[in-house]
Amino acid sequence: MTTPPEPDVLATLRALRQSRRFLPTPVAREDLDRILEVARWTGSAKNTQPWHLVVVTDSALNSGLANLGAFTGFLDGVAASIVVAVEGEGRSVAYDDGRLAERVMLAAAGLGIGSGTAWFSNPAARQQVRELLGLPDHLEPWSAIGLGYTDTSEPQATPQLSGRKPLEEMTSWNRYGRPAPTQPT
Ligand SMILES: Cc1cc2nc3c(=O)[nH]c(=O)nc-3n(C[C@H](O)[C@H](O)[C@H](O)COP(=O)(O)O)c2cc1C
């Protein structure tokens, strides 16, 4: 029998949301290192670890990154960002990339630091990210994760981008379409 997780760990995982407005408070170097150490242990297909992370603490560079995507403007105002650049293409690299990004966000949340994904969907924008950060051609910088202390006095999302499907709509038990059995009392 496994030890159940601490309830506050689950509460932190459950509460992770996208932050887009940040206080002008820096994130300590020690905390960035702790987040990176969590990211380093992300699992990947065949343990290929197809990533390189660029930690951007220079606010002029973060402002530059903010201009390179359709919805990346919030990077102008983060305390730091982590650009995730991956080698290779296809479903499994994308999966690895997403797992790492989520770990970064969850590690940040564990330290009380807010985070937000910024996506560079356009190839020309990714080339500009490469040039801005001096990344080699074989690395594709699909996203950056903005980090900072969330300014909770500001809304973080438009209402249509909020909320989730109900659990019953996204799950089946034992066979597609079957609802969860009622709990024995
Ligand atoms: C692949 C991917 C790309 C995203 N790109 C952006 C982005 O460029 N800008 C942004 O503000 N949010 C971006 N997001 C965040 C989503 O908008 C957010 O996860 C979703 O709206 C749910 O937000 P919530 O957890 O705050 O409810 C992205 C998320 C994912 C998974």
Side-chain angles (χ1 to χ4, degrees):
M1 195 158 125
T2 53
T3 313
E6 296 289 332
D8 63 340
V9 172
L10 285 187
T12 302
L13 302 183
R14 158 69 180 76
L16 178 66
R17 306 297 298 276
Q18 170 96 356
S19 290
R20 296 187 177 89
R21 300 284 172 266
F22 299 92
L23 299 171
T25 313
V27 171
R29 165 63 196 270
E30 185 194 11
D31 286 341
L32 290 173
D33 287 341
R34 291 161 93 187
I35 292 166
L36 293 170
E37 182 59 13
V38 172
R40 186 167 83 84
W41 280 96
T42 305
S44 56
K46 298 181 185 162
N47 201 22
T48 43
Q49 304 166 70
W51 41 60
H52 185 89
L53 309 183
V54 182
V55 184
V56 182
T57 54
D58 180 314
S59 58
L61 284 176
N62 277 319
S63 300
L65 291 171
N67 287 323
L68 300 181
F71 305 103
T72 56
F74 74 91
L75 290 175
D76 188 14
V78 297
S81 70
I82 296 177
V83 174
V84 185
V86 293
E87 182 168 3
E89 306 183 326
R91 177 94 171 97
S92 107
V93 170
Y95 192 94
D96 295 342
D97 188 356
R99 285 190 70 187
L100 182 136
E102 188 77 354
R103 283 208 189 191
V104 164
M105 297 178 78
L106 288 168
L111 297 168
I113 296 164
S115 65
T117 301
W119 191 251
F120 305 109
S121 52
N122 175 320
R126 291 198 295 280
Q127 181 55 28
Q128 286 178 277
V129 175
R130 246 190 235 106
E131 286 165 17
L132 193 65
L133 304 178
L135 283 165
D137 288 345
H138 70 282
L139 291 173
E140 202 69 30
W142 282 99
S143 70
I145 302 145
L147 298 167
Y149 291 92
T150 307
D151 182 353
T152 52
S153 70
E154 294 274 351
Q156 306 298 317
T158 52
Q160 66 270 28
L161 287 182
S162 267
R164 295 292 187 272
K165 291 176 187 173
L167 200 53
E168 307 76 57
E169 198 185 306
M170 58 170 278
T171 54
S172 301
W173 285 58
N174 296 314
R175 187 175 173 79
Y176 181 76
R178 259 190 215 161
T182 45
Q183 294 270 16
T185 47

